[in-house]
Amino acid sequence: MKHLPSLKNLFYLVNLHQEQNFNRAAKVCHVSQSTLSSGIQNLEEQLGHQLIERDHKSFIFTAIGEEVVQRSRKLLTDVDDLVELVKHQGEPMTGDIRLGCIPTIAPFLLSKVVKHCQSTYADLTLFLKEDTTERLLDALGKGELDLLLLALPVDTSGFHSMKVGIDPFKLVVHEELTDVIHEPLDYESLPDQSIFLLQAEHCITGHAVSACELANSAKVNPFAATSLHTLVQMVNSKLGTTFLPQMAIDAGILNDTELRVMQPPGEAPYREIGLVWRQTSSRILTFRTLGLAIQNILEQKDN
């Protein structure tokens, strides 16, 4: 058999590429800087190609080095999945799951999911990460996360997905405006720049605009909020209106405000909620079981 490169040295290379600094990469790998540097040099000798161009102050990855990093990242992810397969063979709902979730779902659903897992699956531990859809999908592809809880549709090419529920959109207005804004609502009756939305990197903005059939961009305020709570405060200050997902309303985001809920135009507009995981993952039974649990939680409006 050929003398294969060690996974440890590939791990060093991937983390150096991630950190772009030998000292930081060594800390991530829990080794000394000299050990990491030596490991990468050994890797270059084994492969017979220079992966990094170095001088006394800086370094860059060569073209072949970049390719090796990408393939090594996938290889290390596959090895992790293999270890999980053997470790949990015949034992679903055990071990650790690194779960990523977007900010427009996490505050309103994750606590219920964690409590359910703690009470039902004593041998399963969830480690949570909240971030935007784009960054979560990138982390999933790199093997940094195992499972994502997202709002669909998004481009999940190369991943498996499972729909776990729907989350209707509602329009919220200050109670003082309910006498002049009537249902069924016509967007054209609203003042220009009176609809507040989240920043573009939050997928709920695109989902809400599409699902609620908001075609006139002149109605959208140029201010873009960073969270649903900020949107609530803007509307509660009588500055305009916004769309909110039903799960946020059910979780009490409108408590202690003077806001009222209205049905937006469109045929019962909503976003889908789904789980996403790598096609190579060996823990499909665990993920699907967790998906069914989340589906039940979403169907229980008062829990």
Side-chain angles (χ1 to χ4, degrees):
M1 180 181 293
K2 295 180 180 178
H3 185 51
L4 300 176
S6 74
L7 293 175
K8 179 175 64 177
N9 290 342
L10 295 177
F11 180 69
Y12 293 163
L13 185 74
V14 167
N15 278 283
L16 179 60
H17 188 272
Q18 177 72 28
E19 299 297 327
Q20 291 295 311
N21 179 278
F22 273 90
N23 186 46
R24 291 196 301 268
K27 289 181 179 179
V28 170
C29 297
H30 303 290
V31 297
S32 67
Q33 185 171 326
S34 61
T35 297
L36 182 134
S37 180
S38 176
I40 293 176
Q41 288 177 345
N42 290 339
L43 180 62
E44 290 177 316
E45 293 171 1
Q46 289 175 318
L47 295 178
H49 286 279
Q50 184 181 20
L51 305 178
I52 300 172
E53 295 181 13
R54 309 167 178 82
D55 62 26
H56 64 288
K57 290 184 178 181
S58 62
F59 67 90
I60 62 171
F61 279 76
T62 63
I64 189 62
E66 292 282 352
E67 179 68 20
V68 171
V69 166
Q70 297 307 314
R71 297 196 177 208
S72 297
R73 185 175 285 125
K74 182 180 184 304
L75 179 61
L76 291 170
T77 298
D78 288 344
V79 170
D80 284 340
D81 289 339
L82 176 63
V83 171
E84 289 297 317
L85 171 65
V86 176
K87 183 178 179 181
H88 303 292
Q89 181 66 29
E91 297 182 59
M93 307 309 290
T94 62
D96 301 336
I97 294 180
R98 298 167 298 174
L99 174 64
C101 188
I102 57 175
T104 56
I105 293 179
F108 317 112
L109 183 59
L110 281 189
S111 62
K112 299 175 183 178
V113 174
V114 171
K115 288 179 181 178
H116 173 78
C117 289
Q118 288 176 339
S119 63
T120 309
Y121 307 111
D123 296 325
L124 182 72
T125 303
L126 298 180
F127 294 93
L128 309 177
K129 178 179 177 61
E130 182 178 326
D131 211 332
T132 62
T133 299
E134 181 180 2
R135 288 197 283 264
L136 290 176
L137 286 170
D138 182 63
L140 181 65
K142 292 178 178 177
E144 297 168 1
L145 294 172
D146 305 308
L147 185 66
L148 306 182
L149 183 57
L150 303 177
L152 307 175
V154 294
D155 183 8
T156 56
S157 301
F159 300 112
H160 284 309
S161 63
M162 173 186 179
K163 175 183 170 182
V164 296
I166 63 172
D167 187 23
F169 285 111
K170 301 297 182 180
L171 194 78
V172 294
V173 301
H174 196 277
E175 61 183 12
E176 292 184 7
L177 299 177
T178 55
D179 291 336
V180 296
I181 300 178
H182 303 285
E183 295 180 291
L185 179 67
D186 180 3
Y187 290 128
E188 295 305 316
S189 67
L190 299 177
D192 287 352
Q193 300 188 358
S194 63
I195 299 177
F196 289 88
L197 301 173
L198 291 181
Q199 293 175 341
E201 59 261 32
H202 294 280
C203 61
I204 193 174
T205 294
H207 290 161
V209 168
S210 175
C212 299
E213 301 178 2
L214 175 59
N216 188 350
S217 60
K219 302 301 178 182
V220 178
N221 193 285
F223 170 82
T226 58
S227 72
L228 294 180
H229 290 86
T230 301
L231 290 179
V232 168
Q233 293 307 312
M234 300 296 287
V235 179
N236 200 45
S237 298
K238 307 177 189 179
L239 297 177
T241 184
T242 192
F243 303 105
L244 290 180
Q246 186 67 52
M247 71 165 60
I249 297 172
D250 292 342
I253 196 172
L254 300 184
N255 291 353
D256 301 319
T257 70
E258 298 176 320
L259 302 184
R260 295 294 177 265
V261 176
M262 300 181 67
Q263 182 67 23
E267 192 170 333
Y270 64 90
R271 61 177 180 169
E272 292 185 347
I273 308 300
L275 289 176
V276 180
W277 62 87
R278 291 184 301 278
Q279 292 180 348
T280 56
S281 177
S282 62
R283 306 184 71 185
I284 296 176
L285 181 56
T286 292
F287 297 159
R288 290 196 176 277
T289 302
L290 183 59
L292 291 175
I294 295 173
Q295 182 175 327
N296 290 333
I297 290 172
L298 288 171
E299 291 173 352
Q300 298 170 14
K301 297 297 183 181
D302 298 323
N303 68 338

